[in-house]
Amino acid sequence: MTDFSPIERGDWIAAPDGLVRIPGGSVTSPDGYVAYGATCGLKVSGARDIGVLRSLRPTRSWLMDTTNALPSAPVRVNRTRDRSQFSAVVVNAGIANAATGDQGERDALAMAEQTGLLLGVAPETVLVSSTGVIGEHIDMDKIGRGIIAATDGLSVDGGTSFNEAICTTDRTLKGGAFVLQLPEGDIRIGIAAKGAGMIRPTMATMLAYVTTDAPLSADDVREITLAAGESSFNRISVDGQMSPSDTLLVMANGAGAPLAGASRQVCGDAIAAVCRWAAIQMAKDGEGAAHTVRLGVHGALDRDEAARVARAVAESPLVKTAIFGRDPNWGRISQAVGQALAVAAGQVFEPVVVIDGVAIADAATVMDRAEYDIEIGLSRGNAEYALWVSDLTHDYVTLNAEYHT
Amino acid sequence: MTDFSPIERGDWIAAPDGLVRIPGGSVTSPDGYVAYGATCGLKVSGARDIGVLRSLRPTRSWLMDTTNALPSAPVRVNRTRDRSQFSAVVVNAGIANAATGDQGERDALAMAEQTGLLLGVAPETVLVSSTGVIGEHIDMDKIGRGIIAATDGLSVDGGTSFNEAICTTDRTLKGGAFVLQLPEGDIRIGIAAKGAGMIRPTMATMLAYVTTDAPLSADDVREITLAAGESSFNRISVDGQMSPSDTLLVMANGAGAPLAGASRQVCGDAIAAVCRWAAIQMAKDGEGAAHTVRLGVHGALDRDEAARVARAVAESPLVKTAIFGRDPNWGRISQAVGQALAVAAGQVFEPVVVIDGVAIADAATVMDRAEYDIEIGLSRGNAEYALWVSDLTHDYVTLNAEYHT
């Protein structure tokens, strides 16, 4: 059985057979990638805060980013590039370079320019990310020295330092690597991700960079990225807030064994499973979170209704405080279901709620678990939807009332 | 100047000239109303928990209730009645009689039947409300004895005891009375309201009963009720949650001076102002609230956009914790604005945020105030919207994590 620690519920990942964790693996575990995380002084703590990741071989890539209408400067710059041609990443933490106007855009462009120059690649192939405080300009002197230090340090052993450099309020590192055993041979998948707050379905302050040495076409990478993002980072909710900086980049450099069609499908499933693994870690590390819940809705009229109900329940502060308080409060779930359906429903019905297989009325002890399932049955149709949600705790309030601008 | 205590910001009420607070007034201050709140044992504390209010004269009335798709049993029963014909109210606190199926509906009907019988009026003219825990049946033995006690106690001095009986987690009594001085003579408006949690625009766990002795037609009362509800109880947000029990009832019994057309307009404005006065008290008493903010959005493309942005900002836990932490965090407001506009916006712009007339960057000391304005300018058009919001505090989490089913 695959080791998905620190997730207790391996069944949440739905991994294909043959996917095995690489101990100590990282975004540089797939063949042909180097990375490094350096310190440039944007984080007050003095921790690593600037990272560079690159493929040493040509890649196919795809990019998913935020649907926030006021995207950060790096997101706007990345959107002017060919999404299938990214082969390197430069990212800083501490300042989000969001809501920084034209100057912010010039700064993001300069980050790509300098990194491309130092790596000897076209700046258009360098993806830029920034995460941290919104509304402040980044110090380009610090960034400039940081990019030199990060590119100087690039190595196949640098994946973990890169992952450290992209974190902000994260309490845990969200990254690692897996090997997928296929008839044609092994391929490797690595991921470096961050995210703990401002997280809701349809992305959030989350960054995730996936590397693989699988030989995939541009079409394959695009389809795999969209499917993987939809079933992972778009399915987590910490506080219902959508960040202007969200980014998921998948790069495939073809250093691994050639794949037949069936194996390409398995490879896509594996990349989606790796993304779910990282996404659930984000929910688990949600700011102040004490519990992580997979919230499933079934019996909805259509998928939109199922998703609307799941999100309404996931974002209800009354439900989230009940999860924190280990209170099997069916009434609050019923209220949120009714709010999501609003006007639409018409006839009166009562949702059936089951927690880890136990009727909610008897589920108080189940709610002591750190991870469990809540299943909501609507008896209206056959559509379903699920997402992962963290609870609302005193620590969330403390973190966010005290994290000053 | 009219005394609107406990609201500090009288400018939020927008009252017409001639509206004067009646010291110690209540829902029985208008001519021709009696009320009483008794104890029937549904509240563990032993506090008053069942109330009856009636007009001694024929009334015109109108009813606004929840848009939650799973309305409580009393709401479903009230909807079978003629909304213009209510002349009495029976209400209990402690159990919401929501999500209680057919038995709940029979119980609500029985409450109206018994009250009508004891008052000698048709049960169809008795509005029923229940507020409290969702998903439990009410004890009809206790309710039966309580209705007898409440109808026995009816008097012109019973308005305050009635108001006490409808409270749940409220820390303050939300009620009182005003006299409106018109050329034709005085008319009086009384209100008894409750609500502190599960509150969002489009009503919440809020109950509000308005009495007036103004002589208004059925059409007048309907129009006044809809306008008053829209500009008051639909404009407050504590936690974004919409209750299955929300009810606003306005009754007019015509015991006061006859009114000319212009005075009927002023009377409508006064009823709306009284509703805003009570609604802002609900936001101020929002569960755990430390600050109350009037959140205005202007410069939107249309009213829908202005409302969508205002609600997104009002419901953002990141903004609400920043208000609690007195943090002038423009970035979190900008992020919520961008989330509300999503995909729609297209071009990049930055919202301008002003707090009590001061640019947000300089507003840290303003945020020490218990009540203040946040104005968000979008520079996209001419539409505007405003609502009142409370902050997200440790006390909110404590109250809702510990208020067990």
Side-chain angles (χ1 to χ4, degrees), chain A residues 240 242 327 335 339 394 398 405, chain B residues 242 327 335 339 394 398 405:
Chain A
M242 183 194 297
D327 178 13
Q335 173 269 326
Q339 177 167 332
H394 285 294
T398 300
T405 43
Chain B
M242 183 194 298
D327 178 15
Q335 173 269 325
Q339 178 167 331
H394 284 294
T398 300
T405 43

Side-chain angles (χ1 to χ4, degrees), chain B residues 351-369:
Chain B
V352 174
V353 181
V354 172
I355 301 187
D356 266 7
V358 178
I360 185 167
D362 305 315
T365 58
V366 177
M367 295 177 79
D368 287 337
R369 297 175 188 163

Side-chain angles (χ1 to χ4, degrees), chain A residues 333-399:
Chain A
I333 292 175
S334 165
Q335 173 269 326
V337 169
Q339 177 167 332
L341 296 173
V343 184
Q347 98 275 26
V348 171
F349 71 97
E350 285 163 17
V352 174
V353 181
V354 172
I355 300 187
D356 266 6
V358 178
I360 186 167
D362 305 315
T365 57
V366 177
M367 296 177 78
D368 287 338
R369 297 174 188 164
E371 299 174 11
Y372 57 83
D373 283 272
I374 296 179
E375 266 294 325
I376 302 171
L378 301 182
S379 306
R380 285 161 58 79
N382 295 312
E384 56 186 32
Y385 193 84
L387 45 75
W388 289 272
V389 56
S390 58
D391 51 357
L392 174 56
T393 68
H394 285 294
D395 287 350
Y396 179 87
V397 176
T398 300
L399 268 167

Side-chain angles (χ1 to χ4, degrees), chain B residues 170-261:
Chain B
D170 304 68
R171 294 176 297 186
T172 61
L173 215 58
K174 293 150 197 94
F178 295 79
V179 59
L180 178 64
Q181 295 158 335
L182 293 168
E184 298 90 339
D186 291 349
I187 68 117
R188 280 146 295 269
I189 301 163
I191 188 166
K194 65 87 49 176
M198 212 182 275
I199 277 179
R200 74 163 253 148
T202 62
M203 302 237 183
T205 304
M206 51 78 44
L207 302 175
Y209 309 103
V210 177
T211 54
T212 179
D213 47 24
L216 297 168
S217 71
D219 283 351
D220 283 344
V221 177
R222 191 187 67 246
E223 281 167 29
I224 287 171
T225 304
L226 296 175
E230 207 295 305
S231 76
S232 61
F233 302 109
N234 277 0
R235 298 292 190 103
I236 52 174
S237 183
V238 169
D239 56 13
Q241 299 309 292
M242 183 194 298
S243 144
S245 307
D246 306 333
T247 297
L248 164 63
L249 177 73
V250 177
M251 294 188 287
N253 71 5
L259 302 182

